[in-house]
Structures are given as C-alpha cells and as structure tokens.
Amino acid sequence: MDAETNLPKGTVLSASDAAAIRLAGRIIKTGGLVAFPTETVYGLGCDAMNADAAAKVFEAKQRPQFDPLIVHIADLKQLKMVVGSLPALGQQLMEAFWPGPLTLVLPKQPAIPDLITAGLSTVAVRMPNHSVAQTLIREAGTPIAAPSANPFGYVSPTTAQHVADGLGNTVDLILDDGPCPVGVESTIVSLAGPQPELLRPGSITIEQLSTVIGAIHQTATVNHKPIAPGQLSRHYATRTPLTILASAGIRPILKDDERVGLLIHSQASDTDNRFAAVEVLSATGDLREIARHLFATLRRMDSLGLDRIYAEPCQEEGLGVAIMDRLRRCAAR
Ligand code: TXA
Ligand code: MG
C-alpha cells in the first residue's frame, strides 16, 4: 500500500486520465516509484534527485548497484539540473534526435546522487518522445531516473501488463498507455571520452548518428563491471534457451519429444506446423514492425514452457543492428 495514495502496489491506471498522471507525479515527488510508458519501453521511474527513491528502484529490479540509471527530462531547462557541461557534439545530437530514443552520457552535476550514476562522474540522460512520459516529468517537477521496468536481466516491458507481471508487487503505480511504439531501448552514445562512443545500439541507428557526427566508435561486449550494462553479454534474456538460426528461411532439425518455438519475420511455410508455436514478427520483414513486436513475442513464447526457441536473424543494418544485438544477448548463456 502506498502511504500517500492508499492504492495497492502494482495498481494500473490508464494514462488517458489526466488525474492519474497528476497522481503519478505526486508519487514521484514524494519518493515513490511509478512505471510509465516511453516510445521505447516502459520505465521504472523515481525522482532523479532523491537517493532513497533510487535505492528502491535498484531493490525492486534486483539490479546490481554498478549499473547506473538513465535520467529522463522533459525540456532543456532540466538538462542543467543533470548535466555539468555540454560539448558541441552533444548539442548537435540533441537538436537532431531529441525528443527521441537517444541517450547521451555526459559529465554529471554534483546534485545527481551517486547511486543513480553508480559512482561515475558521468550521467546518462534522454528526453523521451512520448506525451505521457513528458507530462509525468512536468507533473513531478523533477527529472525522472528510470531503467526499463523489468527484473534485472529479463526481457524489457513494452506493455503495462508486462510491468505488472514482473514488478507488480514493488511499484506504487503503473501508468498504462498501451504498447510502446518503438519496442527496443534507446541508443546510448557516450560523449564523456575523447571520441563519441556507441555504448548500446538502439532505435536511433548508427547510420542516423553518422549523418550528424560522422563515424562512431563501437565498444566491444564485456562481461563484468561494464560501462553500460546493456553491454553484459547475457541480458534481455528469456528463461527458455534461444538459438539464432544461421539465416532466414533455414529450419532446425527437431528431436521427436522436443517442444520448440519458431520466431520468424517471413511467411511461415507449410511444414512449420511441426513447431509447438510459430510467431511471425513481421510477414514482410519490416524492421520497425519486428522491433515493435520483439519483446512481447519473446515473453509470450517464454510463457509456453518450450524446450527451446529458434529465431530467424534479420539483416544487420539500420534498426536490424539493435534487433540482432538483443537476440544475441538473449541467446548468450
Ligand atoms: O529506452 C530506454 O533507454 C529505456 C527507457 C525506459 O528510457 N531505459 C533503459 O534503461 O533501457 P536501462 O536501465 O535498462 O538501461 C540503461 C543503460 C544501462 O546499460 C546503463 O549501464 C547505461 O544505460 N548507463 C546509464 N548511465 C550510464 C553512464 N553514466 N555511463 C555509461 N552507461 C550508462
Ligand atoms: Mg534494461
């Protein structure tokens, strides 16, 4: 029960009700946790200036404290509360992609609690392109720190129901605005070093970034104490083992007693009915459609008690880089 609101934990309210967003803003302001939609995935939000509230986020997600949070802002006035200095490249990227699914890692303001940034001298910040997220931040009157609203390591949530399934007993309120339009997390670019560095591929593509800042350095995957734990090789993972097929159209040989799921982005063939479950992410191979459906489909398949999931790869261009990144992390174990 939330002391302020008397609502049971995990209450879901429609974000189309302005009173629900006002209430959510008050919960954030008084140190509580609100799950809210963004264009990418649902976030688990708290007041970014409040270390006690941030501690609740880590506890709710069972997230290791070396893994810093992204701070979400509604306007450029709030940027000054979060970021210490802004290099010219940062200005250019913000002009090109904000509000939108691009997170920038920049020198931090001392007022941001160390827990939010895992003791780093930098902070990750983004301005989401989602009216509910923006209204919530304005109602709260403070930047909102929010990781994806899932237990650490599991597939990110793209619906309010996904949040309730994973964190229903820890979050004070869940704002529901239907499925997230993009479906994979933001792209993370660090501007804290001598050169811009891509820390996590996401829905702003490398090609899009390059049009603004030229070639961008890409960090290799590491296994512990990563700069961006999106870099942990096993992350975004289903409980069911997942294998990526060698190419689209290829099918695995199945053992008699195996219950196997197939995740594809092409037409199912007549013989695909031998699989226990077949999900088509996009019949035409449209990358945006694949991204939008990816996490919900992985979760659905993961709930079927299958022995294994096989997934078709997609071409690694544009949004396909982020999609393949998430599939590979899901497959790593
Ligand atoms: O689309 C998104 O980015 C979603 C929505 C809710 O905004 N959020 C999200 O948050 O995906 P999360 O916590 O699941 O991933 C945040 C990533 C982590 O990999 C974290 O390590 C990295 O951001 N990060 C945060 N602060 C950082 C910093 N100062 N330096 C490097 N990486 C940082
Ligand atoms: Mg996450």
Side-chain angles (χ1 to χ4, degrees):
M1 202 78 91
D2 181 75
E4 155 103 351
T5 61
N6 288 328
L7 290 174
K9 293 272 188 206
T11 296
V12 179
L13 293 178
S14 168
S16 54
D17 178 2
I21 308 187
R22 276 200 299 278
L23 172 64
R26 280 207 303 282
I27 293 174
I28 296 277
K29 197 60 207 165
T30 52
L33 304 188
V34 174
F36 64 98
T38 78
E39 74 277 39
T40 58
V41 300
Y42 276 71
L44 176 64
C46 71
D47 179 353
M49 315 310 274
N50 180 337
D52 292 338
K56 291 188 204 165
V57 169
F58 282 90
E59 199 183 312
K61 276 189 64 108
Q62 300 283 300
R63 181 175 175 116
Q65 293 200 356
F66 61 70
D67 192 354
L69 309 182
I70 294 176
V71 176
H72 297 68
I73 57 173
D75 51 49
L76 290 176
K77 271 189 295 218
Q78 287 183 329
L79 187 66
K80 296 197 179 67
M81 301 169 69
V82 180
V83 162
S85 63
L86 181 60
L89 282 183
Q91 183 77 40
Q92 288 166 23
L93 286 170
M94 286 172 191
E95 276 165 22
F97 302 114
W98 279 11
L102 175 68
T103 297
L104 296 175
V105 173
L106 292 161
K108 90 184 211 16
Q109 276 290 4
I112 301 289
D114 284 340
L115 186 56
I116 302 257
T117 61
L120 298 170
S121 59
T122 56
V123 62
V125 60
R126 86 177 187 98
M127 189 188 289
N129 186 17
H130 194 291
S131 62
V132 174
Q134 289 176 3
T135 310
L136 174 65
I137 298 166
R138 288 208 184 90
E139 288 289 346
T142 177
I144 293 183
S148 52
N150 52 287
F152 183 72
Y154 196 60
V155 180
S156 293
T158 54
T159 67
Q161 185 62 51
H162 294 161
V163 180
D165 291 346
L167 299 176
N169 53 0
T170 50
V171 55
D172 294 310
L173 181 65
I174 302 170
L175 285 176
D176 183 359
D177 194 54
C180 299
V182 173
V184 293
E185 300 85 349
S186 63
T187 304
I188 306 181
V189 173
S190 172
L191 296 175
Q195 289 165 13
E197 202 166 340
L198 181 76
L199 299 183
R200 177 174 74 181
S203 41
I204 298 290
T205 64
I206 296 163
E207 293 85 343
Q208 283 175 293
L209 292 172
S210 301
T211 59
V212 179
I213 57 171
I216 181 159
H217 186 259
Q218 297 183 39
T219 313
T221 299
V222 287
N223 265 307
H224 32 235
K225 211 146 197 302
I227 330 171
Q231 297 171 323
L232 284 169
S233 57
R234 185 168 158 69
H235 209 80
Y236 312 105
T238 48
R239 285 176 288 269
T240 315
L242 181 138
T243 302
I244 302 172
L245 293 164
S247 66
I250 299 272
R251 296 293 182 263
I253 297 166
L254 302 186
K255 295 191 207 104
D256 281 348
D257 54 349
E258 243 182 347
R259 289 186 69 245
V260 169
L262 181 67
L263 200 63
I264 55 180
H265 48 77
S266 53
Q267 298 289 351
S269 74
D270 292 345
T271 53
D272 285 343
N273 56 15
R274 65 202 171 96
F275 292 93
V278 179
E279 293 261 13
V280 182
L281 289 170
S282 159
T284 57
D286 178 69
L287 291 174
R288 284 194 210 183
E289 200 180 358
I290 295 173
R292 193 161 61 237
H293 295 157
L294 182 64
F295 290 155
T297 308
L298 283 171
R299 283 168 172 263
R300 235 179 358 256
M301 281 220 161
D302 203 21
S303 69
L304 300 177
L306 300 168
D307 296 311
R308 184 166 293 276
I309 301 167
Y310 283 94
E312 274 187 345
C314 63
Q315 96 240 26
E316 233 161 320
E317 271 169 34
L319 197 48
V321 176
I323 295 167
M324 286 305 293
D325 171 78
R326 305 306 187 270
L327 277 178
R328 284 208 189 90
R329 288 175 203 286
C330 193
R333 57 190 68 217

mmCIF file of all heavy atoms in Angstrom, residues 129-145:
data_model
loop_
_atom_site.group_PDB
_atom_site.id
_atom_site.type_symbol
_atom_site.label_atom_id
_atom_site.label_comp_id
_atom_site.label_asym_id
_atom_site.label_seq_id
_atom_site.Cartn_x
_atom_site.Cartn_y
_atom_site.Cartn_z
ATOM 1 N N ASN A 129 10.336 10.894 -26.364
ATOM 2 C CA ASN A 129 9.344 11.423 -27.295
ATOM 3 C C ASN A 129 8.016 10.708 -27.063
ATOM 4 O O ASN A 129 7.556 9.926 -27.901
ATOM 5 C CB ASN A 129 9.840 11.202 -28.732
ATOM 6 C CG ASN A 129 8.917 11.853 -29.741
ATOM 7 O OD1 ASN A 129 8.115 12.710 -29.386
ATOM 8 N ND2 ASN A 129 9.008 11.429 -30.982
ATOM 9 N N HIS A 130 7.445 10.946 -25.880
ATOM 10 C CA HIS A 130 6.181 10.295 -25.537
ATOM 11 C C HIS A 130 5.419 11.258 -24.640
ATOM 12 O O HIS A 130 5.943 11.693 -23.622
ATOM 13 C CB HIS A 130 6.456 8.974 -24.816
ATOM 14 C CG HIS A 130 5.259 8.081 -24.707
ATOM 15 N ND1 HIS A 130 4.185 8.389 -23.908
ATOM 16 C CD2 HIS A 130 4.949 6.915 -25.320
ATOM 17 C CE1 HIS A 130 3.274 7.433 -24.025
ATOM 18 N NE2 HIS A 130 3.714 6.525 -24.883
ATOM 19 N N SER A 131 4.179 11.562 -25.008
ATOM 20 C CA SER A 131 3.472 12.622 -24.284
ATOM 21 C C SER A 131 3.221 12.242 -22.825
ATOM 22 O O SER A 131 3.272 13.099 -21.943
ATOM 23 C CB SER A 131 2.166 12.973 -24.993
ATOM 24 O OG SER A 131 1.333 11.841 -25.010
ATOM 25 N N VAL A 132 2.979 10.965 -22.541
ATOM 26 C CA VAL A 132 2.733 10.575 -21.144
ATOM 27 C C VAL A 132 4.008 10.754 -20.320
ATOM 28 O O VAL A 132 3.981 11.307 -19.211
ATOM 29 C CB VAL A 132 2.224 9.117 -21.050
ATOM 30 C CG1 VAL A 132 2.124 8.675 -19.597
ATOM 31 C CG2 VAL A 132 0.881 8.980 -21.757
ATOM 32 N N ALA A 133 5.133 10.321 -20.870
ATOM 33 C CA ALA A 133 6.403 10.477 -20.153
ATOM 34 C C ALA A 133 6.688 11.963 -19.912
ATOM 35 O O ALA A 133 7.052 12.375 -18.800
ATOM 36 C CB ALA A 133 7.537 9.832 -20.951
ATOM 37 N N GLN A 134 6.486 12.771 -20.929
ATOM 38 C CA GLN A 134 6.765 14.211 -20.781
ATOM 39 C C GLN A 134 5.840 14.861 -19.757
ATOM 40 O O GLN A 134 6.276 15.648 -18.910
ATOM 41 C CB GLN A 134 6.621 14.912 -22.135
ATOM 42 C CG GLN A 134 7.735 14.553 -23.095
ATOM 43 C CD GLN A 134 7.533 15.170 -24.462
ATOM 44 O OE1 GLN A 134 6.586 15.923 -24.686
ATOM 45 N NE2 GLN A 134 8.420 14.851 -25.387
ATOM 46 N N THR A 135 4.558 14.514 -19.817
ATOM 47 C CA THR A 135 3.603 15.101 -18.863
ATOM 48 C C THR A 135 3.941 14.669 -17.443
ATOM 49 O O THR A 135 3.897 15.464 -16.500
ATOM 50 C CB THR A 135 2.159 14.694 -19.220
ATOM 51 O OG1 THR A 135 1.941 14.963 -20.597
ATOM 52 C CG2 THR A 135 1.139 15.457 -18.392
ATOM 53 N N LEU A 136 4.296 13.404 -17.295
ATOM 54 C CA LEU A 136 4.648 12.902 -15.956
ATOM 55 C C LEU A 136 5.852 13.656 -15.391
ATOM 56 O O LEU A 136 5.847 14.065 -14.222
ATOM 57 C CB LEU A 136 4.940 11.396 -16.026
ATOM 58 C CG LEU A 136 5.461 10.783 -14.729
ATOM 59 C CD1 LEU A 136 4.402 10.860 -13.622
ATOM 60 C CD2 LEU A 136 5.899 9.332 -14.942
ATOM 61 N N ILE A 137 6.876 13.850 -16.202
ATOM 62 C CA ILE A 137 8.072 14.554 -15.714
ATOM 63 C C ILE A 137 7.693 15.979 -15.298
ATOM 64 O O ILE A 137 8.122 16.473 -14.254
ATOM 65 C CB ILE A 137 9.186 14.563 -16.790
ATOM 66 C CG1 ILE A 137 9.622 13.139 -17.125
ATOM 67 C CG2 ILE A 137 10.390 15.388 -16.312
ATOM 68 C CD1 ILE A 137 10.457 13.008 -18.400
ATOM 69 N N ARG A 138 6.828 16.628 -16.096
ATOM 70 C CA ARG A 138 6.403 18.002 -15.744
ATOM 71 C C ARG A 138 5.584 18.005 -14.468
ATOM 72 O O ARG A 138 5.764 18.861 -13.605
ATOM 73 C CB ARG A 138 5.580 18.595 -16.879
ATOM 74 C CG ARG A 138 6.445 18.912 -18.055
ATOM 75 C CD ARG A 138 5.899 20.053 -18.909
ATOM 76 N NE ARG A 138 6.780 20.175 -20.051
ATOM 77 C CZ ARG A 138 6.601 19.520 -21.195
ATOM 78 N NH1 ARG A 138 5.539 18.765 -21.376
ATOM 79 N NH2 ARG A 138 7.475 19.649 -22.171
ATOM 80 N N GLU A 139 4.671 17.043 -14.332
ATOM 81 C CA GLU A 139 3.846 16.967 -13.111
ATOM 82 C C GLU A 139 4.729 16.744 -11.882
ATOM 83 O O GLU A 139 4.480 17.307 -10.824
ATOM 84 C CB GLU A 139 2.827 15.822 -13.211
ATOM 85 C CG GLU A 139 1.691 16.081 -14.181
ATOM 86 C CD GLU A 139 0.717 17.150 -13.682
ATOM 87 O OE1 GLU A 139 0.767 17.507 -12.493
ATOM 88 O OE2 GLU A 139 -0.079 17.641 -14.504
ATOM 89 N N ALA A 140 5.741 15.891 -12.035
ATOM 90 C CA ALA A 140 6.627 15.607 -10.900
ATOM 91 C C ALA A 140 7.507 16.814 -10.593
ATOM 92 O O ALA A 140 7.978 16.976 -9.469
ATOM 93 C CB ALA A 140 7.484 14.374 -11.208
ATOM 94 N N GLY A 141 7.762 17.639 -11.604
ATOM 95 C CA GLY A 141 8.589 18.833 -11.408
ATOM 96 C C GLY A 141 10.049 18.499 -11.165
ATOM 97 O O GLY A 141 10.790 19.297 -10.588
ATOM 98 N N THR A 142 10.476 17.334 -11.615
ATOM 99 C CA THR A 142 11.855 16.901 -11.397
ATOM 100 C C THR A 142 12.233 15.918 -12.500
ATOM 101 O O THR A 142 11.371 15.214 -13.022
ATOM 102 C CB THR A 142 12.001 16.211 -10.010
ATOM 103 O OG1 THR A 142 13.348 15.743 -9.852
ATOM 104 C CG2 THR A 142 11.078 15.014 -9.868
ATOM 105 N N PRO A 143 13.518 15.879 -12.878
ATOM 106 C CA PRO A 143 13.945 14.812 -13.803
ATOM 107 C C PRO A 143 13.649 13.438 -13.180
ATOM 108 O O PRO A 143 13.687 13.292 -11.952
ATOM 109 C CB PRO A 143 15.450 15.039 -13.922
ATOM 110 C CG PRO A 143 15.665 16.471 -13.536
ATOM 111 C CD PRO A 143 14.623 16.775 -12.500
ATOM 112 N N ILE A 144 13.337 12.475 -14.021
ATOM 113 C CA ILE A 144 12.974 11.139 -13.527
ATOM 114 C C ILE A 144 14.023 10.122 -13.970
ATOM 115 O O ILE A 144 14.287 9.976 -15.164
ATOM 116 C CB ILE A 144 11.566 10.727 -14.028
ATOM 117 C CG1 ILE A 144 10.511 11.645 -13.391
ATOM 118 C CG2 ILE A 144 11.289 9.270 -13.716
ATOM 119 C CD1 ILE A 144 9.072 11.299 -13.760
ATOM 120 N N ALA A 145 14.636 9.452 -12.987
ATOM 121 C CA ALA A 145 15.571 8.370 -13.307
ATOM 122 C C ALA A 145 14.758 7.109 -13.536
ATOM 123 O O ALA A 145 13.877 6.787 -12.730
ATOM 124 C CB ALA A 145 16.546 8.157 -12.151
#
